[in-house]
Amino acid sequence: MNKLFKTFAKLKLGFLAVTLALVVGSCTKDDNPFDIKDADKSSYGGNANDGVIKILAIGNSFSEDAIESHLYDLAKASGKKVIIGNMFIAGASLADHKKNVDNRASAYQYRKIGVDGVKKTLNPLRIDMAIEDEHWDYISFQQASPNSGQLETVQASLPAVFNYVKSKVTNPNVKYAYHSTWAYAPNTTNTAAFANYGSNQTTMFNAIVNVSKNIEPIIPSHVIIASGTAIQNARTSVLGESYNAGDGYHLNTLGKYIAACTWFEKIFGQSVVGNTYTGGFSAFEVLVAQNAAHLAVLKPYEVSSMVSYEAQPIPLTDPVLVDFGNAAPSATWNQMTGFTVGSKVNLKDTKNVFVGMSLTIKQRFNAINTDGATTTNTPLNMPTNVSARSFYGNARGPLFNGIVTPKGEIEVAGLLPNLSYTFSFFGSRVASDNRETLFTLEGATTGSASLNPSSNSTQIATVANIKPTAEGKITISVTAGPNNVSANGWFYLNAARITSN
């Protein structure tokens, strides 16, 4: 085992925090008690020319997102040995790194993934201790995301950090990288930082790219790792905004996979497209992710459109569930958030696999109702978020919200013409009169069914064995049924289930 980690392992557990703070914080270049520059690195592959690619990031949570989750596995799948280090401080800016260099501060978590894939963490450590721990092939820098598109902040601090790192490296052939990170999602909770870019994703992306274009005078002979461009590429696909965590600025699991794919291809000079490590994502997600990264490596300073990337239609081995009503998303349910013309959702089954199908509103509904049943007993097994909300329409006057909506119409595309599809619908609204809603499906064959949504919690309407058109489409019309006696001809659609046979 690397001597640095071996020394820490020998420390008494009860005295670990105190010992590290006293010993590491006080050591100098000449009295480092861990002797890491001359450490036995047989287990961690720390020697030069040993066939192991060694990557160190001096970063923050964005480097954590990019390299700690999937990069090792992508390398392993391609037969490459790798060591990955991350000098981590949450939210650290280049100014913070400069201050830590100037003060020789033991301020970092040193997270290290060895050749065996095991991640270990030491802290508190200084930057120079991690640099001297391995014969690094790549060392990367990045700016904190609020300032990632502000060139002057990079110019103010990166030269000092770079020059210090350069003075400490043990590999004269080390390559330096600048990690060009991603713009925020429009719904980010980091509103103060987003305001630096007019709260506009495109503005933020362009500003980050501008910084990357101007790194050369600061870091000669560098490489740009354009994770942010890869994320922006993927956002142009049918997956849309599918790559951020709930805070809208860190990455979710799929976003981390895309960033890692970008690092893999840039570091190893090998296309990531076709890499057999999938991260557990569906074939379509992997297709988008790997190609988004590949395109970013080819064109790091511009967005490459991925609108042509479409999931291929497949038979439904698991049902597709659709939530109409714009509540908080529910697990295993696709959410149709818009009720007006052009609103669209690309569909996954209950196993989270994209099935190549989409729903698009062709004739609008009136609006969204929130007074459906909160507790139900149907084969759809709906959570309250789904059953309580609906798209509704008014088939006849008087005007409501200034309009009449004779019927809502939804186009289902991406179906297999040789299969038959069965649709089950649920509608519910607290009421006492008959608000019968009629669901009519038209493809190569047609069918219809109805239910009364008034205070409904148990009934569904099922239309079975509908064949799509030769183009793989079925149209769903939702309107008032013949027994509907409500004054405005109210009709409702809360949820649907789709299966194939």
Side-chain angles (χ1 to χ4, degrees):
M1 178 183 291
N2 182 295
K3 188 175 180 181
L4 176 57
F5 283 85
K6 184 186 295 183
T7 302
F8 274 91
K10 290 179 178 178
L11 295 174
K12 296 288 188 179
L13 182 61
F15 297 98
L16 180 59
V18 174
T19 304
L20 292 180
L22 293 176
V23 176
V24 176
S26 63
C27 65
T28 67
K29 182 179 185 301
D30 298 322
D31 65 1
N32 187 335
F34 304 115
D35 194 22
I36 55 180
K37 191 169 182 179
D38 300 317
D40 170 17
K41 308 194 180 198
S42 58
S43 178
Y44 261 77
N47 300 306
N49 304 317
D50 57 3
V52 180
I53 299 298
K54 307 169 191 71
I55 305 161
L56 176 67
I58 298 172
N60 49 41
S61 58
F62 277 30
S63 57
E64 174 188 29
D65 283 358
I67 68 174
E68 290 191 25
S69 295
H70 299 288
L71 182 56
Y72 174 88
D73 295 292
L74 287 163
K76 182 179 178 180
S78 67
K80 302 182 186 306
K81 294 181 180 180
V82 66
I83 292 174
I84 301 167
N86 186 22
M87 289 298 278
F88 172 87
I89 300 176
S93 66
L94 287 169
D96 294 326
H97 296 311
K98 181 179 182 300
K99 181 176 69 175
N100 292 334
V101 164
D102 292 341
N103 297 333
R104 292 182 54 78
S106 298
Y108 294 85
Q109 284 187 12
Y110 178 32
R111 302 172 176 184
K112 185 176 183 181
I113 302 171
V115 290
D116 57 0
V118 176
K119 181 164 69 175
K120 298 181 180 181
T121 300
L122 297 180
N123 67 91
L125 259 68
R126 301 189 312 263
I127 285 179
D128 62 292
M129 299 179 75
I131 294 171
E132 295 178 346
D133 185 41
E134 290 289 353
H135 199 75
W136 300 107
D137 296 289
Y138 292 88
I139 298 178
S140 74
F141 308 90
Q142 66 187 50
Q143 179 58 295
S145 65
N147 311 117
S148 56
Q150 297 176 332
L151 180 60
E152 66 278 8
T153 67
V154 177
Q155 292 170 326
S157 300
L158 181 54
V161 179
F162 169 72
N163 288 330
Y164 178 80
V165 170
K166 187 177 179 181
S167 73
K168 297 295 181 179
V169 295
T170 60
N171 179 5
N173 298 314
V174 64
K175 295 179 182 178
Y176 297 100
Y178 187 78
H179 184 205
S180 184
T181 56
W182 45 91
Y184 294 169
N187 66 344
T188 182
T189 59
N190 199 356
T191 54
F194 204 25
N196 292 341
Y197 309 98
S199 300
N200 183 279
Q201 183 183 93
T202 300
T203 300
M204 186 175 185
F205 170 75
N206 289 336
I208 294 169
V209 165
N210 180 62
V211 170
S212 299
K213 288 179 177 179
N214 288 279
I215 290 296
E216 176 65 29
I218 304 173
I219 308 178
S221 302
H222 67 286
V223 297
I224 294 293
I225 303 179
S227 296
T229 303
I231 295 296
Q232 206 67 22
N233 290 345
R235 283 168 168 159
T236 69
S237 76
V238 297
L239 301 184
E241 291 286 344
S242 301
Y243 314 105
N244 287 102
D247 59 19
Y249 57 103
H250 289 99
L251 297 179
N252 63 15
T253 54
L254 182 55
K256 291 176 182 179
Y257 181 76
I258 293 173
C261 285
T262 312
W263 277 72
F264 171 87
E265 181 159 331
K266 190 64 181 181
I267 294 293
F268 293 106
Q270 174 183 321
S271 176
V272 74
V273 177
N275 189 293
T276 57
Y277 172 70
T278 67
F281 301 107
S282 70
F284 181 60
E285 288 169 313
V286 170
L287 176 72
V288 170
Q290 293 184 352
N291 279 278
H294 177 65
L295 291 167
V297 172
L298 294 177
K299 297 180 179 180
Y301 303 132
E302 63 183 81
V303 178
S304 297
S305 175
M306 300 187 70
V307 295
S308 63
Y309 287 73
E310 297 182 356
Q312 296 302 306
I314 60 174
L316 301 181
T317 55
D318 294 282
V320 169
L321 303 175
V322 186
D323 166 17
F324 301 89
N326 200 25
S330 300
T332 74
W333 286 80
N334 298 277
Q335 190 178 51
M336 173 63 87
T337 57
F339 57 85
T340 56
V341 173
S343 297
K344 181 178 179 179
V345 62
N346 297 285
L347 301 178
K348 294 181 177 181
D349 65 18
T350 54
K351 296 291 180 62
N352 204 38
V353 174
F354 278 95
V355 295
M357 295 166 52
S358 65
L359 300 184
T360 304
I361 302 294
K362 292 298 185 180
Q363 289 193 44
R364 66 166 291 168
F365 292 77
N366 191 300
I368 294 172
N369 180 269
T370 60
D371 294 322
T374 57
T375 302
T376 59
N377 181 17
T378 76
L380 274 62
N381 193 26
M382 293 167 286
T384 297
N385 271 356
V386 175
S387 64
R389 299 171 70 93
S390 64
F391 288 0
Y392 74 89
N394 51 324
R396 48 186 174 264
L399 301 180
F400 192 80
N401 290 331
I403 57 174
V404 172
T405 53
K407 66 178 180 179
E409 188 173 278
I410 304 167
E411 180 184 84
V412 188
L415 304 172
L416 292 169
N418 62 319
L419 297 182
S420 296
Y421 292 82
T422 295
F423 294 74
S424 294
F425 302 98
F426 176 79
S428 179
R429 204 275 192 212
V430 175
S432 57
D433 54 348
N434 190 322
R435 302 188 178 192
E436 183 182 58
T437 297
L438 178 66
F439 305 93
T440 301
L441 279 70
E442 183 174 358
T445 59
T446 61
S448 63
S450 62
L451 59 78
N452 180 7
S454 295
S455 298
N456 176 39
S457 63
T458 60
Q459 301 300 310
I460 62 173
T462 297
V463 184
N465 300 321
I466 301 298
K467 286 276 192 180
T469 64
E471 293 77 26
K473 296 180 179 181
I474 292 174
T475 300
I476 303 170
S477 297
V478 187
T479 189
N483 298 308
N484 188 314
V485 297
S486 61
N488 290 69
W490 303 115
F491 55 88
Y492 305 87
L493 173 59
N494 301 56
R497 181 184 65 186
I498 310 171
T499 58
S500 69
N501 54 281

